[in-house]
DNA sequence: TATGAATGAGTATTCATTCAT
DNA sequence: AATGAATGAATACTCATTCAT
């Protein structure tokens, strides 16, 4: 007749420490990433992911508390990945086009190795996917803002924010060119993107001069 | 939701001919559009749309063969709308920035009157939503390509295609700036978008000179 | 990119008003009652109930928001039933044994017609079932307390409460005699129950005399 | 959880012979008992029991063939416990109220030391829990019947059975008074229970006189 | 022997679609 | 034509049980 509510989870969900578990964890995540890109987050079931990954649903739920946790983990992985590839400091003497070019080069390599990266970054969906996307967006945007204040220290905070936001818009928008219906080759996209960004920043600075 | 131009059959089950039917059809579509924007296509049920629109599910299914047909019809409506607003011929003597500015101005007004327009245009989803998005994308892109060949007739077909695709990427990417997390005011987005586009096209032409 | 939470349920769950619906509603409830008695609340699935009742799960969920709502409805039905059978006022001149006998007689008839009634009343489970049980328990107990204050007005409030609680214990405990392993016939149970109650109340009043 | 008397095999997979094993076995059982009372048999998982007991699920399954075996073992333990506390022979000269009082006193102490005892005895559930409950019920009922034939040898076998069954009903029913929603203190319950039992038996004997 | 990761059948619940009224 | 009750396949998630280490 008593009625205590649920108690502590018997088996805590956690990132695995053992070799075997780590492999499984990443394998599931990779499988999920591929499927999300191919069919869309909503269309992919946890049972399907597990089956495709060759594990049981139970195993999936050992690593991920629920379906949303899968996208969250994906975003986290991507945020770590790009953070590691984005330079912390800006070495003096490097011209901005070179830096931006190098940065985008790294981004494209990362995107090619992680199929769901740009899908997640450029999505406009709601819910968990949106939250994941926003986290990734803000991570990169913050870096862009820092870079802008390095090269154009005279820009005010709002100016820098706006320019960074526009840059993100250009990057994200042009990334989708690589997919249907345009299907522009990655290298070409990258080249045009650098041009577009540099041209835009140039015009932005011209329109917002020092003093 | 603004005055819609002449009616033309989308993928509906039957053309509503009666006054009442036409009103119903549009009302359902308007309701669906609002709900899709607010909660996302996957999160919105046909029963919910019908309830919110104040009609029965049965009525909804009288106009739309299935849920996908709703997005299809929405896309069709938007394609008609922008087609009507995009000039068929390019009057001589109008400088490109003015034309692009005018076109974007019209686009933004249309987007403001049709809440799901940019949502659908900029989505990266799969399935029916993606197909709807692609149709809209190609419609605008074709116009952009024609405009480019008007102002820069020396560009080869592939060059024109690439430039148009990039332009579309910039437009779509920067449109999302108006929404969280950046939430840049529409007018600002529009202004920056013109700059970005003109700067990009300028650099593109410079890199792809005649001869 | 927006993300509004869930909105109003499109089809509200409600007790049906139409003839057909009412029949369905009660049929599902009857089926569920029988199955709960036979296999236990936890062991019976909503799909099973629906199948056994010859309707679809969807129909079940049209009437009941979730599985708990089924027990709740059952309890409500039973509470209404016994409330209707419990006299509101105590006519003067009726000796207590007669009144208690009559009351128990009604209770047993009701229990015979509603197989899950005593199962639910006498359960000691947790959760929704417990809550349903408690509601039924308190309904009857309140009546018993009122009856006690009618026949033995000198009893203090706590005394009346205790005596009523004990009475409920005796009633509930002895009701289970009708089921295995004892399987005592209902009439016999009823007869012994009246004896036990009268004997107990007699001893209680003797131990708690007026003044 | 009180000192348990001599060990005897329940439905376990194997008798734990080693000191360590015996300790583990009892510890798991104690843990399970507490959890069953607090959350209900169905709500408690084997993994949870093991985790709470600080052992692995595998260890739990070494001692118990399945989840049902845990309740079975619990019942067995309780049956042993009360059997040891119920006098085998009835010393002459002890009045029935004293004997009953003493017996209930022992029962309440046992119940206080073994939290799941009355929970299991008074449950009306199906399945394994019901079977465990019935075994405990019959054990005590047999003793009551023997006691009745000691004090009232003239009662026929069926009369004795009926009176014993009623007594069990009263005991079990009134035991639940100690829990919500009545929450009567244990001592009070015990006192009222003796009264109720003696009053009932008195009335029963009066209604079933010798000859 | 002990461990706890892995399994997968099973459960509650939703929602696109149909069709009798 | 319109309605909305009814359908049932599909989905996220749980948990008793096994077995390789």
């Amino acid at each position: 007749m008593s009625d205590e509510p649920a108690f502590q989870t018997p088996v805590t969900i956690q990132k695995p420490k053992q070799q075997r578990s780590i492999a499984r964890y990443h394998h599931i995540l990779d499988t999920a990433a591929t499927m999300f890109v191919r069919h869309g987050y909503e269309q992919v079931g946890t049972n399907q992911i597990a089956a495709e990954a060759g594990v049981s649903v139970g195993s999936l739920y050992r690593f991920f508390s629920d379906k949303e946790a899968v996208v969250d983990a994906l975003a986290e992985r991507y945020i770590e990945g790009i953070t590691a590839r984005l330079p912390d400091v800006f070495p003096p003497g490097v011209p901005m086009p070179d830096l931006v070019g190098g940065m985008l080069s790294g981004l494209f390599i990362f995107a090619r190795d992680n199929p769901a990266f740009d899908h997640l970054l450029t999505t406009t969906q709601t819910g968990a996917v949106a939250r994941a996307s926003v986290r990734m967006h803000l991570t990169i945007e913050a870096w862009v803002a820092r870079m802008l204040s390095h090269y154009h220290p005279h820009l005010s905070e709002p100016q820098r924010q706006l320019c960074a936001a526009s840059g993100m818009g250009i990057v994200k928008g042009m990334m989708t060119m690589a997919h249907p219906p345009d299907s522009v080759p990655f290298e070409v996209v990258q080249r045009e993107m650098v041009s577009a960004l540099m041209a835009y920043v140039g015009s932005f600075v011209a329109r917002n001069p020092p003093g």
Side-chain angles (χ1 to χ4, degrees), chain A:
Chain A
M1 201 69 78
S2 75
D3 192 7
E4 303 298 319
F7 31 134
Q8 72 287 351
T9 318
V11 181
T12 318
I13 278 101
Q14 55 187 322
K15 280 208 200 167
K17 291 274 162 58
Q18 307 303 322
Q19 196 61 27
R20 278 286 292 269
S21 289
I22 293 180
R24 259 175 174 242
Y25 175 86
H26 282 112
H27 180 55
I28 295 172
L29 220 41
D30 289 339
T31 308
T34 310
M35 295 179 82
F36 286 160
V37 173
R38 190 137 39 202
H39 307 105
Y41 175 76
E42 308 280 357
Q43 301 305 323
V44 175
T46 49
N47 286 286
Q48 288 175 49
I49 296 172
E52 184 79 12
V55 303
S56 65
V57 225
S59 288
L60 187 152
Y61 279 93
R62 168 162 293 290
F63 297 123
F64 306 99
S65 61
D66 54 16
K67 198 184 167 189
E68 301 206 343
V70 180
V71 228
D72 286 344
L74 222 38
E76 196 186 339
R77 178 203 262 196
Y78 293 156
I79 286 171
E80 285 174 15
I82 50 178
T83 300
R85 276 161 186 78
L86 257 23
D88 255 358
V89 293
F90 304 100
V94 178
M96 188 165 156
D98 292 0
L99 193 100
V100 169
M103 181 271 201
L104 285 183
S105 179
L107 208 66
F108 272 81
I109 290 172
F110 189 76
R112 187 168 292 152
D113 293 342
N114 296 275
F117 171 72
D118 64 340
H119 176 81
L120 212 47
L121 180 62
T122 62
T123 195
T124 53
Q125 256 165 284
T126 46
V129 178
R131 284 191 293 279
S133 185
V134 165
R135 290 212 308 280
M136 292 167 60
H137 176 96
L138 292 177
T139 302
I140 305 179
E141 194 175 52
W143 183 88
V144 173
R146 282 205 296 124
M147 185 205 61
L148 284 172
S149 60
H150 173 75
Y151 284 103
H152 300 289
H154 75 277
L155 290 177
S156 71
E157 167 70 13
Q159 288 171 336
R160 209 186 312 133
Q161 277 304 326
L162 174 58
C163 192
S166 298
M168 286 305 294
I170 293 172
V171 168
K172 287 162 68 174
M174 293 186 78
M175 278 204 124
T176 65
M177 295 166 59
H179 304 292
D182 292 323
S183 304
V184 176
F186 264 98
E187 318 82 53
V188 178
V189 173
Q190 186 179 338
R191 189 191 64 209
E192 296 302 307
M193 200 185 283
V194 176
S195 294
L197 285 172
M198 295 318 302
Y200 170 71
V201 173
S203 105
F204 188 87
V205 172
R207 285 179 294 128
N208 300 276

